Amino acid sequence: MSSIVFEKIISLNFANLLNAIGLDFEILSSYTFVVVCLGTMILATVAGMVGTITVLKGQSLIGDAIGHSSYPGIIIAFMICMSLDSVSLMIGAIISGTVAFIIIQFIDKNSKLNLDAVLAVILSAFFGLGMVLKSFIQGHPVYGKVPQGGLSNYIFGQAAFIRTIDVHLILIVAIPSLLILFLFYKEFKIFIFDEVYAKSIGLSSTLMYVLLVLITMSVIATGLKLVGAILISSFLIVPGITALQWSNRFSHVLIIAAIVGSVSAFIGTYISSVYAGMSTGPCIIVVMSGLAFISMFISPKGLLANWLRRRKYLNDLSKSIFD
Amino acid sequence: MSENIIVKVEDLTMAYHDKPVLWDNDVNIIENTRTAIIGPNGAGKSTLLKGILGLQKTLSGTVEIMGKSVKQVHKKIAYIPQSNSVNWDFPTTALDVVLMGRYVHLGWIKRPGKKDIEIAKNALYKMGMQDYAKRQISQLSGGQKQRVFIARAIAQNAEIYFMDEPLAGVDKNTEKVIIDFLKDSQKQGKTSIVIHHDLNTLADYFDYLVILNKRIIAQGKMSKTLTQANLDAADMGGGFKINV
Amino acid sequence: MIYPSLFLTKMSDFLNYNQQMLLTLIITGIACSILGCFLVLNKLSMLTDALSHSILLGIVLAYFVTKDLNSPLLLIGASIFGVFTVYAIGLLSKTRLVKSDDAVGIIFPLFFSLAVILISTFARNVHLDTDIVLMGQVIMIPLNTMTVFGVELPKALFYMLIILLINLIFVSVFLKELKVSSFDPEFATLAGFSSGFLFYALMTLTSFTAVAAFDAVGAILVIALFVGPAASAYMLTKSLKKMLLVSTVFSTVNSISGFYLAIAFNVSISGMIAVITGLTTFMTVLLNRQGIITAIYLRHKNRKEFRLDLLIMHLGNHEDQQDAELELGFTTIKDHLYWDQETVERRLNRLIDQGFVQRNHERKIYCLTEKGRLRYDMIKVDYGM
């Protein structure tokens, strides 16, 4: 029985199969699509896992502030290297994001300002600096000669323009980040759950913070070209938020976040390839958020389950009263 | 009973935001005792524990645990912090939390194995929490949470337990389980150092006492230390009378 | 010659383009910072980030209805959408499925993404550039004019003047209520002020202000204008009225200096004002009376005195005890304080100079003088022992 089905599947042309479920084989097999899709999927997977830690540490808006703050680093790197080379721009983004992060921590620790006010001010000041520098080089006699059209892609992202080298770059960041997450899984777990206890057994929380900031920064920096400074924070936090609706185990939450990230990236990239003119990053984010809202509704902890539970409770209550 | 000093604190001074909290304190904790630390609010009880454990900077003084510095004896000491230091949104089960007690023995990177899980399950069983192993930590009641944290300390298999108000906000049943555990560990030769707030149960639960109000007011055997004069000296005498 | 100008006065007759831009920026800044004070006090600063991004979707949606980018209905539609964003964030965090920060972080990128998609698919021929949304077009302010009561003035200036007026009226009418609800929301509810009403009134005005401002100065500067001056004023003042006043001063200074710097270097005006706002806020963090520099100075000074007090305490505590030779010995005292020999000697020498401590050569220990004894008793009283 099963072998017949199996043969049938084999005998079906793969392309027909895809067409049968409503996917366009032509697009799926095009080189551009494969490159873009690989890039966004790997990025979304890693960002989803790393971002889960950010969400659990209660720092989801810090990611947003750092995303915005990495923009001037891109321009400064361009001014120093006089080229649109992805690697140098990425390093620029990491440096300026880190500087912003340090300033945020410094002000938060040393003033009576609330963290969200600090974030808002730093975010706009850094992004403002990016705007200033961008307008400075636009008409500049020296910088003006180098083509700089790609620079504005870092604000909203231009996934459609990424090339194989960018996918390599994403992999170079993704693999060590995942490795760090995997190797220090146990340490991250106790660091997030109970920092004081972690310290009491000799785990250095400074070291853990450095590791966390390091991988978060590099994920943000690689994501800029695909998703842009404004929206990169959703790649970090939305998969984590979604995954938290489904499981009570950290390991499962991480895996679900990775799946949510990569599935959204695939669907989003596909939609943006089918409908010309749609930007990839925003499409992925809409899919991601859609999954998040659906999860909040139908997950075991979600609104629907809560509502049913309450109804059942009331029913039982009224029964026990009337019986 | 021999009186070995297991935790030796000398001339410890600590400040919080530049305000002195502890002044030049000498504390000796005797091995194999149930020692309570009491004192009025703001007396620096938690700070003392954190200072001993190296969790907060000290301005002067030395701490020796079993004759060594705290960094050398992480495996032998278990700390149960106040529950407000915990991130309750974290997706984890009771068993998982207890397993964290094994981390100190595993070192970096290595994962807990079957033996560790066995130890963790046993620890949960000792606290009467075996049925809640798969429950998410945030779904447990205050008392149940506290039992899980004690189970984590058991799993750590330490020699000395440091507990910061473990009985605050727990039910009577849990209180009994915890105190039984303390007495039981004493029989196994272990030492516990517990911040306590209830003077009525003090003499029943503990056998040694440290009275603190920024400075050590008195320390030693419960019977000799728990006196009206000492309580008054620590500003704790108001309204409470020792029944002898 | 005089006759027609009676009916039609052009603002450009008495203010040049630069001055018109600057005036508009200053008015916008003040309108924002007045509300910003309450946003900062109520810990709502990041809502301005969410608002300034998500009203883009409001503008796009309103455009689909009005089909006219210059319609005032567009402003109203976008503002209502801004309030809806705040409501949606509140609703989402009320489900307790996510924390309020997460709710902000999930809602506004979604709305912004939807707006970008809508623009790129359905409104590509419309002059709705996402870059301009973020950066604004200060340069265009004097070119978009309208005539009001016979005066031709920049549209943005007119809108912002009206909004400033509304904000001023709102704040002065509800000052007492806003004050109570900012400092003690629970008390406000008990006292009968509906903080829900105040909250949504505040958010509605914030949304209106953001929409009106954002056309001229862009989404990023809007955030800076709302939060920066209010945050600086918050660190410097102790009363709400002073905070409001100081924030407008900060805002004006930021706008003027940012504007002229941008003109001098020929760079983005709104970007420069955002940078200057960040810098002034940072300087305030450093320099205010409870700021970092004062704190570092005080900490240093306190620590010094505190350590000397500590030494006196140590001497006083151990002098009469049997272990005095060990605890206070010339060479052994350092081991008990866990300080090195040099430090101990330096500090002890200071105390000897001040006449608090003397060397007891007979017992080879340090001990307190009569004056030191008095100081010892004083310290005990000072620190409540």
Side-chain angles (χ1 to χ4, degrees), chain C residues 30-184:
Chain C
I30 295 175
C32 290
S33 61
I34 290 175
L35 296 183
C37 287
F38 299 101
L39 298 174
V40 168
L41 285 175
N42 285 297
K43 298 170 187 152
L44 298 168
S45 310
M46 278 307 265
L47 273 186
T48 60
D49 182 33
L51 263 180
S52 69
H53 285 80
S54 55
I55 46 185
L56 179 62
L57 182 55
I59 289 178
V60 177
L61 293 177
Y63 170 75
F64 285 144
V65 179
T66 60
K67 300 281 178 201
D68 176 13
L69 269 182
N70 292 314
S71 156
L73 281 177
L74 199 79
L75 289 185
I76 293 168
S79 307
I80 291 169
F81 190 80
V83 180
F84 169 73
T85 307
V86 175
Y87 181 70
I89 290 170
L91 208 63
L92 189 56
S93 49
K94 239 182 228 155
T95 64
R96 303 231 166 185
L97 294 172
V98 297
K99 283 178 271 186
S100 63
D101 273 12
D102 297 343
V104 175
I106 196 169
I107 293 276
F108 90 81
L110 173 64
F111 286 177
F112 195 75
S113 300
L114 284 172
V116 172
I117 291 173
L118 288 177
I119 292 173
S120 60
T121 41
F122 299 110
R124 242 182 303 176
N125 46 354
V126 187
H127 179 71
L128 235 183
D129 191 336
T130 34
D131 273 10
I132 294 174
V133 166
L134 288 177
M135 327 239 181
Q137 271 188 312
V138 181
I139 299 286
M140 299 295 283
I141 290 173
L143 302 178
N144 262 325
T145 57
M146 65 193 296
T147 309
V148 186
F149 302 124
V151 183
E152 189 187 343
L153 77 174
K155 220 178 189 172
L157 178 59
F158 176 68
Y159 283 149
M160 288 320 303
L161 272 172
I162 291 187
I163 296 222
L164 173 63
L165 199 66
I166 296 173
N167 289 354
L168 276 175
I169 292 171
F170 171 73
V171 169
S172 43
V173 169
F174 292 107
L175 188 66
K176 191 174 78 229
E177 287 79 1
L178 282 167
K179 191 170 166 180
V180 173
S181 75
S182 306
F183 287 108
D184 191 351

Side-chain angles (χ1 to χ4, degrees), chain A residues 56-58 181-190 192-197 199-204 207-208 211 244 247-251 253 301, chain B residues 50 53 55 74 77 79 81 85-93 96-97 100-101 103-104 106-112 134 136-137 139 149 152 156:
Chain A
L56 285 171
K57 273 261 155 205
L181 208 56
F182 180 75
L183 286 179
F184 302 119
Y185 170 75
K186 173 171 112 266
E187 284 74 16
F188 271 119
K189 196 161 145 180
I190 195 161
I192 306 166
F193 177 64
D194 193 346
E195 210 177 308
V196 180
Y197 177 75
K199 267 195 212 164
S200 84
I201 61 167
L203 183 74
S204 155
L207 181 66
M208 296 312 291
L211 274 179
L244 281 168
S247 175
N248 284 336
R249 304 196 54 176
F250 185 47
S251 53
V253 169
K301 302 186 204 171
Chain B
K50 285 183 178 157
L53 294 167
L55 298 174
H74 280 307
I77 53 181
Y79 174 47
S85 77
V86 172
N87 180 353
W88 295 115
D89 296 322
F90 189 78
T92 192
T93 58
D96 233 18
V97 173
M100 288 177 189
Y103 287 7
V104 69
L106 295 168
W108 287 85
I109 296 170
K110 215 178 140 207
R111 297 290 156 85
K134 297 278 172 205
Q136 197 196 355
I137 190 76
Q139 292 167 352
F149 287 113
R152 177 171 73 181
Q156 203 178 325

